[in-house]
Amino acid sequence: MRIYRVRLLAAAAGAVTLLLMPPATAGDTAQGAPGIGDAYYPDYGNGGYDVSHYDLRLRYQPSSDHLEGTATILATATQNLSRFQLDFALDVAAVEVNGVAAKHATAGSHELVITPEATISKDQPMNVVVRYADTPSKVKVGTLTAWQRTSDGAVAANEPEMAWWWFPSNDHPLDKATYDVSVSVPDGTSAISNGVLTRTSSQLGWTRYNWRETKPQATYLATLAVGKFEILKGKTKGGVPVINAYSHELGSSAGAARASLERTSEVVDWESGVFGPYPFDAAGGYVPQTSTRFALETQTRVFYSPAFFTRGANLYVVVHENAHQWFGDSVSVASWRDIWLNEGFASYAEWLWSEKQGEGTAQQLANYAYAFYPADSAFWKVKPGDPGKGNEFHHAVYDRGAMTLQALRTTVGDGVFFRIIRDWVMVKRYGNASVAEFIDLAERISGKRLDELFRTWLYTSGRPAVGPAAPGARVAPRGRVDKPGSWERIHRLHQAVHARG
């Protein structure tokens, strides 16, 4: 993700972070836990089962913001289950488990509690069907409504919570799955989602779009956009199909948006040369007409706010979000505390692109960012490795996070550094990972003890005594004139949103 330009989080240094299910109480051994055990968001996700596939069949009317859906969830019980939960906030009409009607109720702010007719045995497959209908823009969880309504449709794109407003799920990155998303909208309106568009069909004034993502995908990375779009198609040099979509209402920013997104194939090809083979079978993005001011690395189809293109073309946001396809999408966090593995790396990718373009080396950018924040700045109080709930998207997580990688590069040398990066995304491909695991890999490949480096840059409050790079320019590099603290951060108001507790 990217909040008008940077973000991050991670795990405690030197210790592997384990996500443990809350212990079952006596007489409650067949009830799935109401949370997956995340350090910052303990009620996100659920215990007792593992989802392998979501099949979503939806119908959406833009004029009324009415969404009807049938979600078929394929999962396997990881314990005996007399009851389990899904994360969902919309109104549910009926639930079936393995073809038999099941009782359902709500609990907490976003929990759908399901009681099947018979207990599901451990290792038994579950086919859960949930039928629902609601007006997502009118549904709030606390003060949050993540669903974005537009003049001609709507957008589902947010982090860390989004699925609650359009499909029931086990909403945590630890439970990744494949997806089929089939959306029926009025003729003349398009529906955009992840992966490959397998087919479209039209009947009685409605057009149905069928999208398929065949690689494991975290729930917050699933996206949906409905509206009137111009859709352009292309391919990378490696043959990956690229689909970009632009709202018809972008106005003066339309040209800059196209000038940026239409270089996606170039960016993906370059990043493939730096990070390793592109991990998915599709790429691209979309720019709806929304008032939000963030972009999000929704898998294979990035969401971009038009705010990124009001001052002209912005290739750095394209570089950042597509770098997330490796760092965040293919290799996903084990806990939201580990988000440095997403944001520090995507931010550093921008510095590498700047280096490639001759607009300032990563070393220059790191030195400049380090010098920009005085030692007494509150910036240095936030620890990127464990910023704390509410600070996950603080600019220190982005800027200091990228400085951490430059400090690593300076310490181990270019050859070893890029080997670490490429091995990381290959070893953890399509899975989940913690910061502690990255540190372990970096030490094994480099043959160096790096605990002090990471403790200093990720887990110690205060400005490190020594900068992240060898001595170099202390002035803003050519072509990068924005101050670090105002660099267009890709994720919007996350600090305010998560300050709600």
Side-chain angles (χ1 to χ4, degrees):
M1 217 179 217
R2 180 181 160 171
I3 299 183
Y4 258 140
R5 198 186 189 258
V6 186
R7 111 183 129 114
L8 270 127
L9 36 88
V16 175
T17 300
L18 298 178
L19 296 183
L20 302 177
M21 309 276 209
T25 58
D28 198 33
T29 57
Q31 296 186 15
I36 211 164
D38 190 87
Y40 288 176
Y41 302 100
D43 64 340
Y44 285 21
N46 302 282
Y49 62 93
D50 176 63
V51 177
S52 60
H53 185 73
Y54 292 94
D55 182 275
L56 309 178
R57 189 171 182 85
L58 311 173
R59 180 183 174 99
Y60 179 72
Q61 175 54 263
S63 62
S64 61
D65 192 41
H66 185 70
L67 176 69
E68 299 176 17
T70 298
T72 302
I73 303 168
L74 305 182
T76 301
T78 57
Q79 66 175 73
N80 293 338
L81 285 177
S82 63
R83 190 176 74 180
F84 62 94
Q85 303 189 60
L86 293 167
D87 297 290
F88 198 44
L90 302 189
D91 188 51
V92 173
V95 177
E96 294 179 1
V97 178
N98 292 340
V100 179
K103 295 178 181 179
H104 67 277
T106 58
S109 61
H110 57 88
E111 299 286 348
L112 174 64
V113 183
I114 299 172
T115 305
E117 184 178 76
T119 296
I120 307 297
S121 299
K122 181 180 179 181
D123 298 327
Q124 180 182 347
M126 298 196 306
N127 185 352
V128 182
V129 178
V130 181
R131 294 181 173 84
Y132 54 97
D134 213 331
T135 306
S137 61
K138 294 182 178 180
V139 176
K140 290 187 177 182
V141 178
T143 60
L144 179 63
T145 301
W147 183 263
Q148 304 173 46
R149 193 173 182 190
T150 64
S151 61
D152 57 1
V155 173
N158 195 59
E159 182 183 17
E161 58 281 288
M162 184 63 249
W164 307 345
W165 284 269
W166 68 291
F167 68 98
S169 69
N170 193 12
D171 192 26
H172 192 276
L174 271 179
D175 197 358
K176 300 166 76 168
T178 56
Y179 285 73
D180 280 307
V181 179
S182 177
V183 189
S184 183
V185 293
D187 286 350
T189 303
S190 300
I192 309 296
S193 192
N194 310 84
V196 173
L197 182 64
T198 60
R199 68 184 186 281
T200 59
S201 60
S202 185
Q203 186 177 26
L204 301 176
W206 292 77
T207 300
R208 181 167 291 280
Y209 295 80
N210 297 275
W211 295 88
R212 171 168 288 176
E213 176 49 61
T214 61
K215 303 301 182 185
Q217 176 175 276
T219 47
Y220 83 94
L221 297 173
T223 193
L224 174 65
V226 174
K228 298 183 184 300
F229 290 96
E230 177 186 10
I231 298 175
L232 301 180
K233 300 179 180 180
K235 282 188 177 182
T236 69
K237 289 181 179 178
V240 176
V242 178
I243 297 178
N244 293 318
Y246 308 90
S247 170
H248 286 182
E249 299 184 0
L250 289 180
S252 60
S253 62
R258 288 181 178 83
S260 305
L261 268 66
E262 291 308 305
R263 293 182 67 181
T264 295
S265 58
E266 175 190 349
V267 168
V268 168
D269 283 331
W270 170 74
E271 291 181 330
S272 297
V274 177
F275 307 134
Y278 183 69
F280 303 116
D281 55 4
Y286 67 95
V287 190
Q289 182 53 45
T290 69
S291 59
T292 56
R293 300 177 68 82
F294 71 97
L296 179 62
E297 62 270 19
T298 39
Q299 191 160 306
T300 73
R301 193 120 308 111
V302 175
F303 161 74
Y304 299 95
S305 164
F308 284 100
F309 311 108
T310 56
R311 293 187 295 171
N314 184 344
L315 205 54
Y316 283 94
V317 68
V318 177
V319 169
H320 183 109
E321 298 305 331
N322 280 284
H324 274 309
Q325 304 305 309
W326 285 264
F327 305 101
D329 294 12
S330 176
V331 183
S332 300
V333 294
S335 167
W336 283 110
R337 186 168 55 188
D338 293 306
I339 203 169
W340 173 71
L341 296 171
N342 294 11
E343 296 305 337
F345 288 72
S347 298
Y348 194 72
E350 296 182 61
W351 293 8
L352 293 175
W353 178 262
S354 173
E355 195 167 284
K356 174 183 182 294
Q357 298 300 309
E359 295 182 346
T361 66
Q363 175 177 308
Q364 289 175 314
L365 287 162
N367 285 344
Y368 175 64
Y370 177 80
F372 178 81
Y373 297 103
D376 60 353
S377 170
F379 170 89
W380 298 107
K381 293 181 180 180
V382 175
K383 297 174 286 186
D386 191 1
K389 183 180 177 181
N391 275 334
E392 301 95 330
F393 308 107
H394 190 280
H395 53 277
V397 175
Y398 291 77
D399 291 348
R400 187 172 174 179
M403 286 186 241
T404 302
L405 287 170
Q406 181 59 37
L408 175 62
R409 182 179 175 184
T410 301
T411 299
V412 302
D414 279 13
V416 173
F417 175 78
F418 287 105
R419 181 186 165 196
I420 290 170
I421 299 302
R422 291 173 68 91
D423 282 11
W424 174 250
V425 295
M426 184 56 66
V427 170
K428 294 296 182 179
R429 191 177 177 95
Y430 307 131
N432 299 83
S434 70
V435 175
E437 290 175 300
F438 178 80
I439 294 172
D440 179 68
L441 180 77
E443 289 188 329
R444 284 192 287 109
I445 291 177
S446 68
K448 295 177 178 288
R449 288 290 301 274
L450 300 170
D451 51 335
E452 182 177 354
L453 182 153
F454 286 107
R455 182 168 55 249
T456 297
W457 284 97
L458 293 181
Y459 300 105
T460 302
S461 181
R463 186 187 190 188
V466 179
R474 294 282 183 178
V475 296
R478 184 165 51 87
R480 300 305 300 273
V481 296
D482 291 332
K483 296 178 181 179
S486 65
W487 279 342
E488 299 174 347
R489 285 191 167 70
I490 292 179
H491 265 286
R492 66 156 167 111
L493 308 165
H494 275 86
Q495 286 176 267
V497 168
H498 292 298
R500 71 186 188 278

